[in-house]
Amino acid sequence: MLYREVKRRLIVDIESGAVLPGGALPNESALARRFEVSIGTVRRAVDELVADHILMRQQGRGTFVRRLDKARFMFQFFKIEGCDGAREFPQVRLHAFSKARATPEEAHILGLRGAASVFRIDNVLSLKGRTVIHDRIAIDADLFVGLTRQTFGQRSGTIYELYQTGFGVTVVGADEKVRAESVDDVSAKILDLPQGTPVLRIKRVARTFDQKPVELRISIVDSREFEYVSSMREHA
Amino acid sequence: MLYREVKRRLIVDIESGAVLPGGALPNESALARRFEVSIGTVRRAVDELVADHILMRQQGRGTFVRRLDKARFMFQFFKIEGCDGAREFPQVRLHAFSKARATPEEAHILGLRGAASVFRIDNVLSLKGRTVIHDRIAIDADLFVGLTRQTFGQRSGTIYELYQTGFGVTVVGADEKVRAESVDDVSAKILDLPQGTPVLRIKRVARTFDQKPVELRISIVDSREFEYVSSMREHA
DNA sequence: AAGTGGTCTAGACCACTTG
DNA sequence: AAGTGGTCTAGACCACTTT
């Protein structure tokens, strides 16, 4: 389990900002010397971080910390696609931004104390020019100090890229629970749906290292022309 | 990529029945001699097959071909759980069994010629004593020669275990697409739901080695008290 | 005690990228 | 040409299971 220790120390380097997103790690022999292990052990630790989508290797160039850019977001976290299988990056519009006391459920899921504050962000996402997703996001205000409607609205990349480069919060995974329900009045208005239309309700808990929850997101999806996809296999 | 070749040859052994589900592989040094590679290369091939849930290693005992038993089915393929996170093996009741011409969609998805036949199997699944899932399964009749309502109904384990031990078809992965819709009349009756209740409609394509599709399954899920869960991370 | 998989090492050689 | 990651080898030593 020596390689586990190496992996842990590499994660510390990433979390602490010693190596920044997009930046290169020292080469394998340097890491082997520093951690006093063989190159094979370094490789095994890096292998896992590559499988976790944390690092990226390029033969002949080096090993880099992956950025949570569009391509990766689409690949790892965006599971809505057209009924014909077409995948497309959604157009995102900020619908509401506020700071408020966490609800008991939010506090419980995000692991906050009772009196904590959260930022609440409502987004409306469009695919093929149609408004099909209504996202309600809640994040710990103490983890994203200084976040404002402006910094959020003016971000250049994905939301998770903003978390990562602006606040040092790297989302590494998420759990989702999906159910069918009749659209509520608020989402019906946003998605321009008749009352009672069946929609998907997706509850996502996004996590950073050590499975620590950092974001709660409820997505309401008009699934008449788009679907939620899930693949159950390891290697593609 | 030598280890890929070793992996391929191990898969041939499994598909051909040279090593049966539950049976042991030769030990690592024997495999290394047979394939004329080093033990490390054998290990890498086996590592991937273990990650794919095809093989299982037990230190001190050996390496075994995994059976598609309940435990594995629950872990890998059954994604419905209670809203409280409780997981339970469903009670399954055979509702209908027939053999018929494949519809164009079935033929396309399963890769059959136009005139092919399929078995159609309707199952009703219960959790916590409540009927919550209606499954409609279609499989290539030419792949499951000799399957009857009796052999199906009298199976001892899971459906996928029957495929594996009875017909040499090992399901190794699946893709699912989920949408919300109003329950149709047939499923409404089976699930005892009022007309128009929102339900999940899950379309699963189960695949064997080389991604070959072997089963098409439509599941209608009453998601009022149960949810579809999906995890987006590599290592647990 | 013998046999199995689990981990780690040390190094050779190759493929690719950069200057 | 020099430096990087990618693959494969050969073997030591450990932990565990079975006999």
Side-chain angles (χ1 to χ4, degrees), chain A residues 1-3 36-38 41 44 59-61:
Chain A
M1 291 292 155
L2 230 190
Y3 82 95
E36 297 181 296
V37 298
S38 74
T41 301
R44 180 145 184 203
Q59 189 176 42
R61 298 222 314 133

Side-chain angles (χ1 to χ4, degrees), chain B residues 14-27:
Chain B
I14 297 164
E15 281 194 276
S16 72
V19 281
L20 295 173
L25 253 60
N27 73 46

Side-chain angles (χ1 to χ4, degrees), chain B residues 133-161:
Chain B
I133 305 175
H134 175 210
D135 272 357
R136 280 171 291 184
I137 296 173
I139 52 180
D140 179 7
D142 288 338
L143 205 57
F144 295 87
V145 286
L147 179 65
T148 65
R149 190 190 183 102
Q150 281 67 38
T151 54
F152 193 91
Q154 290 162 10
R155 72 184 186 280
S156 58
T158 67
I159 293 176
Y160 287 173
E161 199 171 358

Side-chain angles (χ1 to χ4, degrees), chain A residues 88-151:
Chain A
E88 174 190 338
F89 190 76
Q91 223 192 336
V92 186
R93 190 170 62 75
L94 178 59
H95 183 256
F97 182 101
S98 64
K99 184 177 179 177
R101 277 289 183 81
T103 65
E105 191 198 11
E106 287 166 348
H108 176 250
I109 289 177
L110 295 175
L112 311 178
R113 64 177 199 287
S117 299
V118 293
F119 289 113
R120 293 222 186 83
I121 300 144
D122 267 39
N123 279 312
V124 177
L125 284 70
S126 303
L127 288 164
K128 290 190 182 157
R130 293 187 203 162
T131 303
V132 289
I133 306 174
H134 175 210
D135 272 359
R136 280 172 290 184
I137 296 173
I139 51 180
D140 179 6
D142 289 338
L143 204 57
F144 294 87
V145 286
L147 180 65
T148 65
R149 190 190 182 104
Q150 281 68 38
T151 53

Side-chain angles (χ1 to χ4, degrees), chain B residues 19-36:
Chain B
V19 281
L20 295 173
L25 253 60
N27 73 46
E28 297 180 341
S29 49
L31 290 173
R33 277 196 306 278
R34 172 171 149 210
F35 296 133
E36 298 181 295

Side-chain angles (χ1 to χ4, degrees), chain A residues 19-37:
Chain A
V19 282
L20 296 173
L25 254 62
N27 72 47
E28 297 180 340
S29 50
L31 290 172
R33 278 196 306 278
R34 174 174 147 208
F35 296 132
E36 297 181 296
V37 298

